[in-house]
Short mmCIF file of all heavy atoms in Angstrom, two decimals:
data_model
loop_
_atom_site.label_atom_id
_atom_site.label_comp_id
_atom_site.label_asym_id
_atom_site.label_seq_id
_atom_site.Cartn_x
_atom_site.Cartn_y
_atom_site.Cartn_z
N LYS A 292 -83.95 -24.49 -5.13
CA LYS A 292 -83.82 -23.91 -3.78
C LYS A 292 -82.39 -23.42 -3.54
O LYS A 292 -82.19 -22.32 -3.02
CB LYS A 292 -84.21 -24.95 -2.73
CG LYS A 292 -85.65 -25.45 -2.85
CD LYS A 292 -86.02 -26.45 -1.79
CE LYS A 292 -85.32 -27.77 -1.93
NZ LYS A 292 -85.70 -28.50 -3.17
N SER A 293 -81.40 -24.22 -3.93
CA SER A 293 -80.00 -23.81 -3.73
C SER A 293 -79.64 -22.61 -4.60
O SER A 293 -78.93 -21.70 -4.16
CB SER A 293 -79.06 -24.98 -4.03
OG SER A 293 -79.26 -26.04 -3.12
N SER A 294 -80.14 -22.57 -5.83
CA SER A 294 -79.88 -21.43 -6.72
C SER A 294 -80.47 -20.16 -6.13
O SER A 294 -79.87 -19.08 -6.19
CB SER A 294 -80.47 -21.68 -8.10
OG SER A 294 -79.86 -22.79 -8.72
N LEU A 295 -81.66 -20.28 -5.56
CA LEU A 295 -82.31 -19.13 -4.94
C LEU A 295 -81.45 -18.57 -3.80
O LEU A 295 -81.23 -17.36 -3.70
CB LEU A 295 -83.69 -19.53 -4.42
CG LEU A 295 -84.46 -18.48 -3.62
CD1 LEU A 295 -84.81 -17.29 -4.51
CD2 LEU A 295 -85.72 -19.08 -3.01
N LEU A 296 -80.96 -19.45 -2.94
CA LEU A 296 -80.15 -18.99 -1.80
C LEU A 296 -78.82 -18.41 -2.26
O LEU A 296 -78.35 -17.41 -1.70
CB LEU A 296 -79.92 -20.14 -0.83
CG LEU A 296 -81.16 -20.69 -0.11
CD1 LEU A 296 -80.75 -21.68 0.98
CD2 LEU A 296 -82.01 -19.58 0.50
N ARG A 297 -78.21 -19.01 -3.25
CA ARG A 297 -76.94 -18.47 -3.75
C ARG A 297 -77.13 -17.09 -4.37
O ARG A 297 -76.30 -16.19 -4.19
CB ARG A 297 -76.34 -19.42 -4.80
CG ARG A 297 -75.65 -20.63 -4.21
CD ARG A 297 -75.22 -21.59 -5.30
NE ARG A 297 -74.49 -22.72 -4.75
CZ ARG A 297 -73.17 -22.83 -4.74
NH1 ARG A 297 -72.43 -21.86 -5.25
NH2 ARG A 297 -72.58 -23.88 -4.22
N THR A 298 -78.23 -16.92 -5.08
CA THR A 298 -78.51 -15.61 -5.67
C THR A 298 -78.72 -14.57 -4.59
O THR A 298 -78.24 -13.42 -4.69
CB THR A 298 -79.75 -15.70 -6.57
OG1 THR A 298 -79.52 -16.68 -7.58
CG2 THR A 298 -80.05 -14.37 -7.24
N ARG A 299 -79.44 -14.94 -3.53
CA ARG A 299 -79.66 -14.02 -2.41
C ARG A 299 -78.34 -13.70 -1.72
O ARG A 299 -78.09 -12.55 -1.32
CB ARG A 299 -80.64 -14.65 -1.44
CG ARG A 299 -80.91 -13.83 -0.19
CD ARG A 299 -81.47 -12.46 -0.53
NE ARG A 299 -80.70 -11.41 0.14
CZ ARG A 299 -80.85 -10.13 -0.05
NH1 ARG A 299 -81.72 -9.69 -0.93
NH2 ARG A 299 -80.13 -9.25 0.59
N LEU A 300 -77.47 -14.70 -1.57
CA LEU A 300 -76.16 -14.49 -0.94
C LEU A 300 -75.34 -13.49 -1.75
O LEU A 300 -74.74 -12.55 -1.19
CB LEU A 300 -75.42 -15.82 -0.82
CG LEU A 300 -73.99 -15.77 -0.29
CD1 LEU A 300 -73.97 -15.29 1.15
CD2 LEU A 300 -73.31 -17.13 -0.40
N ALA A 301 -75.30 -13.68 -3.07
CA ALA A 301 -74.52 -12.77 -3.92
C ALA A 301 -75.07 -11.35 -3.85
O ALA A 301 -74.31 -10.39 -3.76
CB ALA A 301 -74.54 -13.28 -5.36
N HIS A 302 -76.41 -11.22 -3.90
CA HIS A 302 -77.02 -9.89 -3.87
C HIS A 302 -76.78 -9.22 -2.52
O HIS A 302 -76.44 -8.03 -2.46
CB HIS A 302 -78.52 -10.02 -4.14
CG HIS A 302 -79.24 -8.71 -4.12
ND1 HIS A 302 -79.10 -7.77 -5.12
CD2 HIS A 302 -80.11 -8.17 -3.22
CE1 HIS A 302 -79.84 -6.71 -4.84
NE2 HIS A 302 -80.46 -6.93 -3.70
N GLY A 303 -76.98 -9.97 -1.44
CA GLY A 303 -76.79 -9.38 -0.11
C GLY A 303 -75.36 -8.97 0.15
O GLY A 303 -75.10 -7.91 0.73
N ALA A 304 -74.40 -9.80 -0.29
CA ALA A 304 -72.99 -9.44 -0.11
C ALA A 304 -72.66 -8.19 -0.91
O ALA A 304 -71.91 -7.32 -0.45
CB ALA A 304 -72.10 -10.61 -0.53
N ALA A 305 -73.21 -8.09 -2.13
CA ALA A 305 -72.95 -6.91 -2.96
C ALA A 305 -73.50 -5.65 -2.31
O ALA A 305 -72.89 -4.58 -2.39
CB ALA A 305 -73.56 -7.10 -4.35
N GLN A 306 -74.67 -5.74 -1.66
CA GLN A 306 -75.23 -4.57 -1.00
C GLN A 306 -74.29 -4.05 0.08
O GLN A 306 -74.12 -2.83 0.24
CB GLN A 306 -76.58 -4.94 -0.36
CG GLN A 306 -77.73 -5.07 -1.35
CD GLN A 306 -79.03 -5.40 -0.65
OE1 GLN A 306 -79.08 -6.21 0.26
NE2 GLN A 306 -80.10 -4.76 -1.08
N TRP A 307 -73.66 -4.95 0.81
CA TRP A 307 -72.74 -4.52 1.86
C TRP A 307 -71.43 -4.00 1.30
O TRP A 307 -70.86 -3.03 1.81
CB TRP A 307 -72.46 -5.70 2.80
CG TRP A 307 -73.51 -5.86 3.86
CD1 TRP A 307 -74.76 -6.35 3.69
CD2 TRP A 307 -73.40 -5.50 5.23
NE1 TRP A 307 -75.44 -6.33 4.89
CE2 TRP A 307 -74.63 -5.81 5.85
CE3 TRP A 307 -72.38 -4.96 6.01
CZ2 TRP A 307 -74.87 -5.60 7.20
CZ3 TRP A 307 -72.61 -4.75 7.36
CH2 TRP A 307 -73.84 -5.06 7.94
N LEU A 308 -70.95 -4.65 0.25
CA LEU A 308 -69.63 -4.28 -0.28
C LEU A 308 -69.68 -3.04 -1.16
O LEU A 308 -68.71 -2.28 -1.21
CB LEU A 308 -69.06 -5.45 -1.09
CG LEU A 308 -68.65 -6.68 -0.30
CD1 LEU A 308 -68.36 -7.84 -1.24
CD2 LEU A 308 -67.44 -6.39 0.58
N ASP A 309 -70.80 -2.82 -1.84
CA ASP A 309 -70.85 -1.78 -2.86
C ASP A 309 -71.49 -0.49 -2.39
O ASP A 309 -71.53 0.48 -3.13
CB ASP A 309 -71.61 -2.28 -4.09
CG ASP A 309 -70.91 -3.47 -4.73
OD1 ASP A 309 -69.74 -3.69 -4.39
OD2 ASP A 309 -71.54 -4.16 -5.55
N GLY A 310 -72.06 -0.46 -1.21
CA GLY A 310 -72.65 0.79 -0.76
C GLY A 310 -73.59 0.59 0.40
O GLY A 310 -73.86 -0.54 0.82
N PRO A 311 -74.10 1.66 0.96
CA PRO A 311 -74.95 1.57 2.14
C PRO A 311 -76.32 1.01 1.81
O PRO A 311 -76.87 1.27 0.75
CB PRO A 311 -75.07 3.03 2.60
CG PRO A 311 -74.93 3.83 1.35
CD PRO A 311 -73.96 3.06 0.50
N ASP A 312 -76.85 0.22 2.72
CA ASP A 312 -78.22 -0.29 2.58
C ASP A 312 -78.75 -0.49 3.99
O ASP A 312 -78.50 -1.52 4.61
CB ASP A 312 -78.23 -1.60 1.79
CG ASP A 312 -79.65 -2.12 1.58
OD1 ASP A 312 -80.58 -1.45 2.06
OD2 ASP A 312 -79.82 -3.17 0.96
#
Side-chain angles (χ1 to χ4, degrees):
K292 300 181 291 295
S293 295
S294 297
L295 174 65
L296 294 189
R297 282 174 177 260
T298 302
R299 177 59 231 173
L300 175 65
H302 180 72
Q306 284 181 318
W307 276 75
L308 291 169
D309 298 345
D312 183 359

